[in-house]
Amino acid sequence: MKRSLLFLILLPQVLMLTAQVGFGHAERFNDNWLFSLSDNPKARQTKFDDSAWRQLSLPHDWSIEGELSQKWASCTGYLPAGIAWYRKHFRLNELPQADLHYIYFEGIYNRSEVYLNGHLLGRRPNGYVSFMYDLTPHLRKGDNVLSVRVDHSRYADSRWYTGSGIYRDVWLVSAPKTHLAQWGTTYRLAQLNEDGSAEVEVDVAIDNIRPGLSLNITLLDDKGNVVAHQGCEAQAWQTIPLDVARTHLWDLNDPYLYKLKVLLTDLDSTEIAVGLRTLRFTPDEGFFLNGRNQKVKGVCLHHDAGVLGAAVPREVWVRKVKELKRMGANAIRMSHNPQAPMLYDICDQLGMLVMDEGSDEWEFPKRKWVEGWNQGKPAFDGTYDFFEEWIDRDVADMVRRDRNHPCVFLWSVGNEVDYPNDPYSHPVLDGGNATINQPMFGGYKPNAPNAERIGKIAKRLAAVIRSIDASRPVTGALAGVVMSNQTEYPEAIDVVGYNYTENRYDTDHELYPQRIIYGSETGVGYDSWKAVRDKKHIFGQFIWTGTDYLGESGRWPSRGLNTGLLDFASFRKPRGWFRAALWSDEPTTYLGTYPLMPARGNRRGSANTRRRNIISAEAQDDWQPLPAQWGSSDVLRRVVCYTNAPQARLLLNDSLVGQPQMRPDSTFITYWDIPFRPGTLRAEGLDMEGNVLSAYEITTQSEPVALRVTDLLPEDNRQLMQLMVEVTDAQGNRVRSSQADITCTISGPARLLGLEGCNNSDMSNYRDNHQPAYRGRLVAYILRTAPGAVSVAFNSPGLSDVKWEMK
């Protein structure tokens, strides 16, 4: 009998921090911190002199403030780390009146120690998990000092950029002695009936319970109408049933959210946004969302945003997720760790599935490349040293924190922990059938850790997850599937992710007919998508990556890995347009060009020539004369079109220069070879009757004369501005060849967080007030610091200035 995993769930989305921690009154505790990039053990003491320390507001990432330098490791993006202290002074009478006060950190990277008035509250080595401490026993009436030591001295401890410091929000939570438990309220959709009604079970846990208390549970629709209510006597832990008469499901194109109110007498309460939806996975037909078969079109994301480092404001995530969704993506893999709570909120609200992942490293260290990506001699710092002590709790806290998000549909126990010989090995690596698409670093190594250990750890972590939440499947991202097939790992999890191993999809489906398979990490190539599109038993893929990211860099100069569909500033790259043609349900067309390289005396041309003359999914939207060194004005241009229309045609200055062609399924790219003539080149995607469904055009640019500024998220009432500054010619066309140095000057209550040029090989300072444009543009991130009018001026030598006014 074939295995089918059915998950019926009701899950809440975080509206406010009370929903995130699940109790009490919460307020941000981000302002008026003091910071020192130094290590003085006396800094934990109340009377320590911190008068000379820098004052700042959180979130804060000190690594991104450092100087890019070859002396640092490529895995960090050539940025430093170290050890630092944060301190915050406050008085008891400044806090809300309550029996108990807690401090809640969304994330500190890493190896943090938190002290209140010299008393150690706790240590948490994991840099990605959220955690909370009770301040109450050590509070006093006078000056209170919260001190946080952050030890990121093992700076090359990850394969990508992590950032350093208190890089997420901090909250003060005040509550009565008897209160709802942290992360203690959760939900199950016990039954979804054919008539559209639902039977929901609500679990509630209470700390310090006492007799005579009551619970009231109310579910409201998005208009505020009561759709279900239940009252009962409060117990330390209990399940309360709710009946919903007409269920509005949360879906990708209709992310409908209810609101759940939980009231503990008049002592404590919480409000949580609620999404109802069903999940089902089968080995032969893949994934079903709300009973409808669904291909997962996913991307992997790290947690940084270029010049902003790891301290990424909500508005930046909103714009990034919106652009990914417009491109056709419907899922995000949190690579390879829990990310900021607000990102899950955004995915709930916009309708984006999430694969939540626990870690990238288990009990032994992986290679950390310090001279360039997969180059030179690696280092072996990491997080393995606290694995045994903390991994069960870290994974449990991830699930407890995030289980109330409808976006989360998979829990991952880890990423590429079975990378062959990094660190585990197995005799199968010497076999002729070891078709593993990752570097193997040699064959079987008897002295390396035995790969059979992977299966035992996976079983342990999967059990931790299922003990907290059995409503979603457990998965893992396997890099060495052939090796892992010799272990208990694939059977320990419910859904098996294959990293870069499309060649095993059919083979393993036959060998293991009960296995549910998907591409947990794939390249951007068309073939890897066809392997999903054309195979019913493969339910989706997660492309590496959704955006360019810092770290995992090539040899200097290289800020990061630029494999993204979007660049550092979330602008869509040509490969992103190609992906939109493959994934988007909306009509889409893109136009790009490149010269056909002449053979220069060799009729067949050089190897480099032949590579350039293939049909490319990386063509840039440029239509300019070739440089003089080409020596010929009649070099043909290859014009490529990425479209989801069945056919396309090409026009130059409104004249047809490329006859309509059917989109070839073999490449999904239509192309024409034409000589250059200045003007406007336009590609049109057509239906079978020749009607235009979508179009894209590019125009020959003239000399740059001015700057233009555009608000990239004008509909969002926000604190952070994302202003795109473009270099334009007299006709208003962006001059893509311009590298003009642009200066930003701000008047009013705001400050510049950075200028993102998106050039991966530019190793200059991105956080001062000037930056060269890249492809004729950059983005300025400007943070309001107080109410009031703000004026932002941009200027560059020889170009007309531009101003942006904000009231």
Side-chain angles (χ1 to χ4, degrees):
M1 182 177 179
K2 293 180 179 179
R3 182 174 63 170
S4 174
L5 300 179
L6 178 62
F7 298 89
L8 297 172
I9 59 177
L10 176 154
L11 294 164
Q13 170 242 15
V14 176
L15 285 182
M16 57 190 71
L17 187 87
T18 52
Q20 191 185 128
V21 298
F23 74 96
H25 168 80
E27 56 187 43
R28 282 186 174 88
F29 215 51
N30 288 342
D31 295 335
N32 301 317
W33 284 77
L34 301 171
F35 172 76
S36 177
L37 186 53
S38 61
D39 188 21
N40 188 332
K42 294 182 180 179
R44 72 189 65 177
Q45 299 173 2
T46 306
K47 295 183 178 180
F48 176 79
D49 183 7
D50 54 21
S51 59
W53 284 21
R54 171 186 169 191
Q55 184 171 332
L56 53 74
S57 293
L58 305 176
H60 174 242
D61 172 8
W62 84 70
S63 283
I64 200 64
E65 298 173 346
E67 181 181 353
L68 290 156
S69 171
Q70 293 185 69
K71 69 182 179 181
W72 307 118
S74 61
C75 61
T76 73
Y78 300 101
L79 284 163
I83 301 176
W85 283 84
Y86 296 84
R87 283 166 60 90
K88 181 176 173 67
H89 295 257
F90 63 96
R91 302 184 71 83
L92 186 59
N93 60 6
E94 298 170 348
L95 307 184
Q97 289 190 353
D99 297 328
L100 304 172
H101 297 284
Y102 300 87
I103 192 73
Y104 178 75
F105 295 93
E106 290 185 1
I108 303 176
Y109 205 90
N110 64 349
R111 302 178 188 269
S112 64
E113 301 173 1
V114 180
Y115 300 86
L116 177 60
N117 298 327
H119 300 277
L120 177 65
L121 301 181
R123 296 182 174 91
R124 198 62 183 258
N126 190 312
Y128 298 109
V129 298
S130 301
F131 56 93
M132 186 175 71
Y133 299 127
D134 186 359
L135 302 175
T136 314
H138 306 296
L139 286 170
R140 57 193 190 186
K141 291 183 179 180
D143 182 40
N144 289 271
V145 182
L146 192 63
S147 305
V148 181
R149 182 178 187 265
V150 185
D151 182 358
H152 195 194
S153 55
R154 301 168 185 158
Y155 82 106
D157 62 349
S158 179
R159 297 190 295 157
W160 59 89
Y161 178 84
T162 63
S164 302
I166 309 178
Y167 68 103
R168 296 181 189 160
D169 284 329
V170 179
W171 301 79
L172 177 76
V173 183
S174 304
K177 182 177 180 182
T178 299
H179 58 81
L180 300 168
Q182 179 187 3
W183 302 328
T185 302
T186 192
Y187 311 83
R188 287 180 304 280
L189 180 55
Q191 183 68 43
L192 182 63
N193 302 313
E194 292 184 1
D195 64 0
S197 63
E199 300 171 22
V200 175
E201 294 177 342
V202 181
D203 290 343
V204 179
I206 300 171
D207 285 346
N208 304 314
I209 187 71
R210 57 183 171 84
L213 302 179
S214 62
L215 270 177
N216 277 281
I217 313 295
T218 306
L219 188 67
L220 308 172
D221 66 16
D222 65 349
K223 302 292 192 300
N225 302 310
V226 175
V227 298
H229 174 78
Q230 187 68 264
C232 60
E233 181 181 350
Q235 301 174 30
W237 183 92
Q238 63 200 112
T239 299
I240 299 102
L242 291 177
D243 293 325
V244 181
R246 291 185 299 275
T247 308
H248 194 150
L249 297 178
W250 182 94
D251 213 329
L252 297 174
N253 295 319
D254 182 19
Y256 187 88
L257 296 169
Y258 295 88
K259 182 187 292 184
L260 184 73
K261 291 187 175 183
V262 180
L263 177 63
L264 175 60
T265 312
D266 57 354
L267 294 175
D268 197 11
S269 65
T270 190
E271 293 185 4
I272 300 170
V274 170
L276 300 102
R277 47 92 171 123
T278 68
L279 308 174
R280 183 163 63 93
F281 298 79
T282 73
D284 287 333
E285 295 184 292
F287 169 58
F288 294 78
L289 177 64
N290 298 326
R292 185 183 68 256
N293 192 254
Q294 182 78 54
K295 289 293 187 182
V296 170
K297 304 169 183 178
V299 298
C300 302
L301 285 184
H302 280 315
H303 71 166
D304 72 276
V307 65
L308 300 173
V312 183
R314 180 184 183 277
E315 295 86 354
V316 175
W317 279 121
V318 168
R319 186 171 145 256
K320 192 185 302 288
V321 175
K322 282 185 174 181
E323 182 58 26
L324 289 169
K325 193 170 177 69
R326 278 191 288 264
M327 199 170 55
N330 60 21
I332 291 172
R333 177 186 178 205
M334 303 300 191
S335 309
H336 304 287
N337 40 261
Q339 297 205 25
M342 62 182 163
L343 179 53
Y344 301 79
D345 297 348
I346 293 165
C347 291
D348 287 344
Q349 295 159 3
L350 297 181
M352 186 76 81
L353 295 169
V354 164
M355 172 180 167
D356 217 0
E357 195 153 65
S359 63
D360 182 59
E361 189 169 271
W362 282 0
E363 57 179 345
F364 299 105
K366 291 182 178 180
R367 288 171 170 82
K368 313 297 187 310
W369 300 101
V370 296
E371 299 174 35
W373 186 56
N374 285 353
Q375 296 175 337
K377 183 179 179 181
F380 289 92
D381 276 338
T383 58
Y384 62 93
D385 58 304
F386 56 79
F387 176 83
E388 270 308 317
E389 180 181 358
W390 285 99
I391 190 61
D392 288 25
R393 182 173 175 184
D394 288 345
V395 168
D397 284 353
M398 173 186 75
V399 176
R400 289 191 180 99
R401 191 197 72 172
D402 297 339
R403 61 184 169 176
N404 288 337
H405 287 280
C407 63
V408 177
F409 81 124
L410 289 171
W411 301 119
S412 172
V413 295
N415 171 64
E416 296 188 345
V417 295
D418 63 335
Y419 208 104
N421 289 320
D422 190 19
Y424 297 97
S425 196
H426 189 278
V428 74
L429 298 180
D430 278 338
N433 65 337
T435 52
I436 297 174
N437 295 350
Q438 299 277 38
M440 287 173 54
F441 306 111
Y444 173 51
K445 299 183 183 301
N447 295 327
N450 192 306
E452 292 181 2
R453 300 172 64 92
I454 300 171
K456 300 184 188 323
I457 295 172
K459 288 173 68 174
R460 165 183 152 196
L461 298 182
V464 170
I465 293 172
R466 294 182 186 121
S467 70
I468 300 167
D469 176 38
S471 68
R472 305 168 179 85
V474 178
T475 188
L478 278 62
V481 176
V482 171
M483 184 173 75
S484 285
N485 282 343
Q486 308 301 312
T487 76
E488 299 175 283
Y489 189 7
E491 293 305 313
I493 55 182
D494 305 305
V495 176
V496 185
Y498 283 36
N499 283 15
Y500 308 101
T501 322
E502 291 88 349
N503 63 318
R504 298 290 305 186
Y505 284 171
D506 289 340
T507 302
D508 282 11
H509 182 55
E510 292 182 10
L511 289 173
Y512 312 101
Q514 305 307 309
R515 183 176 296 180
I516 302 169
I517 303 173
Y518 70 103
S520 45
E521 188 171 318
T522 75
V524 298
Y526 178 43
D527 288 344
S528 68
W529 169 241
K530 288 177 68 177
V532 175
R533 185 195 68 183
D534 299 342
K535 300 180 188 298
K536 288 185 67 175
H537 64 283
I538 304 299
F539 71 74
Q541 68 173 164
F542 288 89
I543 286 175
W544 194 265
T545 53
T547 67
D548 292 350
Y549 61 94
L550 298 176
E552 210 163 4
S553 305
R555 289 196 185 276
W556 178 278
S558 173
R559 298 167 66 200
L561 199 60
N562 56 348
T563 57
L565 303 176
L566 309 179
D567 64 20
F568 287 115
S570 297
F571 292 126
R572 192 182 300 186
K573 296 162 66 175
R575 63 177 58 184
W577 283 100
F578 182 61
R579 189 57 43 174
L582 298 177
W583 279 0
S584 179
D585 294 328
E586 298 297 321
T588 186
T589 294
Y590 175 81
L591 174 65
T593 74
Y594 52 91
L596 292 178
M597 306 280 281
R600 299 193 184 280
N602 181 344
R603 295 184 63 185
R604 295 187 61 198
S606 67
N608 286 336
T609 298
R610 293 194 297 274
R611 278 196 290 271
R612 283 295 306 276
N613 290 350
I614 64 172
I615 305 168
S616 171
E618 290 296 323
Q620 295 285 354
D621 54 351
D622 285 322
W623 188 239
Q624 294 295 109
L626 291 176
Q629 57 263 33
W630 281 77
S632 174
S633 61
D634 60 356
V635 174
L636 291 179
R637 306 295 182 88
R638 175 148 293 175
V639 181
V640 300
C641 174
Y642 319 142
T643 184
N644 54 9
Q647 57 178 336
R649 68 184 177 194
L650 182 66
L651 298 94
L652 177 58
N653 298 326
D654 295 325
S655 297
L656 188 67
V657 293
Q659 291 293 329
Q661 294 187 36
M662 298 298 295
R663 185 196 65 228
D665 189 65
S666 58
T667 62
F668 226 81
I669 298 174
T670 306
Y671 74 96
W672 306 266
D673 295 338
I674 65 172
F676 172 80
R677 293 203 312 270
T680 297
L681 198 63
R682 177 181 174 89
E684 295 178 338
L686 313 173
D687 64 16
M688 294 304 297
E689 286 71 43
N691 300 306
V692 177
L693 300 177
S694 57
Y696 192 97
E697 64 183 36
I698 53 180
T699 300
T700 307
Q701 306 116 43
S702 53
E703 291 299 310
V705 298
L707 297 176
R708 178 173 61 214
V709 61
T710 305
D711 188 348
L712 293 173
L713 207 63
E715 70 277 12
D716 199 286
N717 183 14
R718 64 211 179 278
Q719 188 178 9
L720 181 83
M721 259 53 66
Q722 301 172 74
L723 302 181
M724 175 176 65
V725 186
E726 298 172 286
V727 181
T728 66
D729 62 14
Q731 290 73 43
N733 302 306
R734 173 160 59 97
V735 182
R736 289 163 170 79
S737 60
S738 175
Q739 300 180 43
D741 192 74
I742 298 172
T743 298
C744 174
T745 306
I746 299 174
S747 299
R751 64 184 178 92
L752 179 67
L753 297 183
L755 298 170
E756 180 53 73
C758 304
N759 185 353
N760 189 48
S761 62
D762 180 357
M763 308 303 277
S764 62
N765 183 358
Y766 286 76
R767 296 179 69 87
D768 58 16
N769 74 329
H770 68 95
Q771 179 69 23
Y774 180 65
R775 292 191 54 77
R777 68 185 172 191
L778 55 75
V779 171
Y781 296 110
I782 298 170
L783 182 71
R784 286 182 179 269
T785 55
V790 175
S791 176
V792 185
F794 297 98
N795 61 79
S796 183
L799 304 178
S800 298
D801 299 350
V802 66
K803 283 190 177 182
W804 186 259
E805 306 286 344
M806 296 172 283
K807 295 183 179 179

